[in-house]
Amino acid sequence: VFSLYIKQVDVPGKNHGFLLVFRDRTEEERLNRMKNELISVVSHELRTPVATIMGYVELMMMYDLPASQRQEFMETISSEGSRLSSLLDDVLDIQRLDNDGMTYHMTYVPLLELIEGVAEQWNIKSVQRIYVHAFNGDFFAYADQNRMVQVLHNLVGNAVKYSPGTDRIDITLWEEDEWICIDVRDYGIGIPENVQDMLFTKFYRVDNSDHRQIGGTGLGLYISRKIVEDHHGTLTFLSASDKGSTFKIRLPKQEDLL
Ligand code: ADP
């Protein structure tokens, strides 16, 4: 994208001159598009939780509801509040990634414990049961604990979200040489082969009716892959439509491999 403008230059004692100015605005346009996309995706995703919270609060203010119903409404308000807060976290992360990058607080992290914690939290709220299988290893990785929790929540959350009507999700952990391997497997709607290349692109969401009716921003996988790669690991997947997906994290165990 170029902009072109003509500037008149007056040099005293000389003829008038004109200057043709070309300016390459490709990068500027790209950033603008990205900003617009962020605003439109985020405001769309804000709409539902905000409307739900407002609606429930108004109902509770207007009516003297039985305790059990109040409790149910409060739980919904709380989970919609968490959705808002994780959406804001994603926006801040995108901001960080696009500027200076993220900063990491590295320690030896007990991944099995972490994964069991994440599975437990999802087991409370998801229809599917999350099973954790671990084989031979201590599963300590040199990593940023909170960022690892974030990646796992994102992958398990997607597995839950994109496998309606199924009853299980399997997380498998094992060690191979100096690597820790984690697979998150669901049996849901899967990812069509012709769009698999796009999946880790910022804002990308599979554009078919099965996927569209499930909410999202297309930011989670982009952020997760960046975090895993900053740990010198990889995040990939295998998937087929209607057969489910397996998201695969590979992380180096040791500090000196980083
Ligand atoms: P979001 O879920 O917020 O849209 P993500 O970046 O986490 O964003 O995922 C990008 C897209 O990849 C999703 O919109 C969805 O179409 C697809 N996707 C991610 N995880 C799965 C999964 N486990 N099964 C099927 N599709 C998935």
Side-chain angles (χ1 to χ4, degrees):
V1 183
F2 289 97
S3 64
L4 167 67
Y5 56 99
I6 301 173
K7 205 174 163 181
Q8 187 175 343
V9 248
D10 293 318
V11 185
K14 299 262 160 90
N15 292 335
H16 293 304
F18 292 97
L19 211 58
L20 266 179
V21 184
F22 282 98
R23 197 152 63 95
D24 182 354
R25 295 192 305 129
T26 315
E27 179 61 12
E28 208 174 306
E29 285 288 315
R30 193 183 67 83
L31 287 176
N32 245 335
R33 257 203 319 276
M34 206 98 95
K35 216 181 284 172
N36 287 339
E37 197 157 9
L38 185 65
I39 290 171
S40 102
V41 164
V42 169
S43 42
H44 180 263
E45 278 299 297
L46 286 175
R47 210 172 279 265
T48 317
V50 170
T52 311
I53 291 173
M54 301 283 288
Y56 279 23
V57 168
E58 272 165 33
L59 280 177
M60 293 206 297
M61 289 192 315
M62 277 190 326
Y63 301 105
D64 188 16
L65 300 169
S68 64
Q69 198 162 28
R70 286 180 74 85
Q71 179 64 25
E72 189 190 314
F73 283 10
M74 302 273 242
E75 278 163 16
T76 308
I77 290 169
S78 154
S79 77
E80 292 299 294
S82 314
R83 227 170 105 184
L84 285 179
S85 134
S86 72
L87 182 62
L88 291 178
D89 287 342
D90 280 355
V91 172
L92 289 176
D93 282 346
I94 287 289
Q95 187 89 339
R96 284 195 194 104
L97 286 179
D98 289 347
N99 295 312
D100 309 327
M102 296 199 188
T103 48
Y104 294 98
H105 176 65
M106 305 294 279
T107 56
Y108 277 95
V109 174
L111 282 177
L112 179 56
E113 217 170 281
L114 229 74
I115 287 172
E116 280 171 342
V118 170
E120 205 172 300
Q121 284 185 37
W122 281 98
N123 270 330
I124 296 169
K125 53 186 176 183
S126 63
V127 179
Q128 302 91 329
R129 174 105 206 132
I130 325 278
Y131 297 94
V132 180
H133 320 271
F135 303 103
N136 55 43
D138 59 6
F139 309 111
F140 273 81
Y142 189 67
D144 181 308
Q145 171 144 338
N146 293 334
R147 291 296 181 189
M148 281 303 126
V149 170
Q150 178 182 356
V151 170
L152 289 162
H153 266 300
N154 182 240
L155 296 185
V156 178
N158 279 350
V160 167
K161 196 161 76 160
Y162 297 104
S163 65
T166 67
D167 61 2
R168 69 180 296 152
I169 282 157
D170 291 286
I171 308 178
T172 312
L173 253 96
W174 71 100
E175 288 186 6
E176 245 174 64
D177 304 322
E178 290 305 308
W179 295 83
I180 298 180
C181 310
I182 305 163
D183 279 5
V184 180
R185 167 107 176 91
D186 70 61
Y187 305 87
I189 61 177
I191 298 148
E193 200 168 335
N194 64 328
V195 298
Q196 293 191 353
D197 286 353
M198 299 285 292
L199 213 73
F200 292 96
T201 310
K202 195 193 293 186
F203 298 121
Y204 182 75
R205 309 202 62 227
V206 176
D207 189 19
N208 67 24
S209 58
D210 285 347
H211 285 254
R212 250 198 321 266
Q213 57 185 326
I214 301 170
T217 57
L219 294 177
L221 285 181
Y222 171 78
I223 296 170
S224 297
R225 175 177 262 184
K226 187 76 180 88
I227 293 172
V228 174
E229 287 181 348
D230 284 349
H231 284 75
H232 297 228
T234 58
L235 175 59
T236 57
F237 69 93
L238 292 173
S239 181
S241 281
D242 298 324
K243 299 233 161 58
S245 312
T246 304
F247 280 81
K248 304 164 94 58
I249 303 175
R250 300 293 177 263
L251 277 178
K253 280 178 71 75
Q254 305 283 343
E255 185 176 359
D256 55 8
L257 288 179
L258 297 183

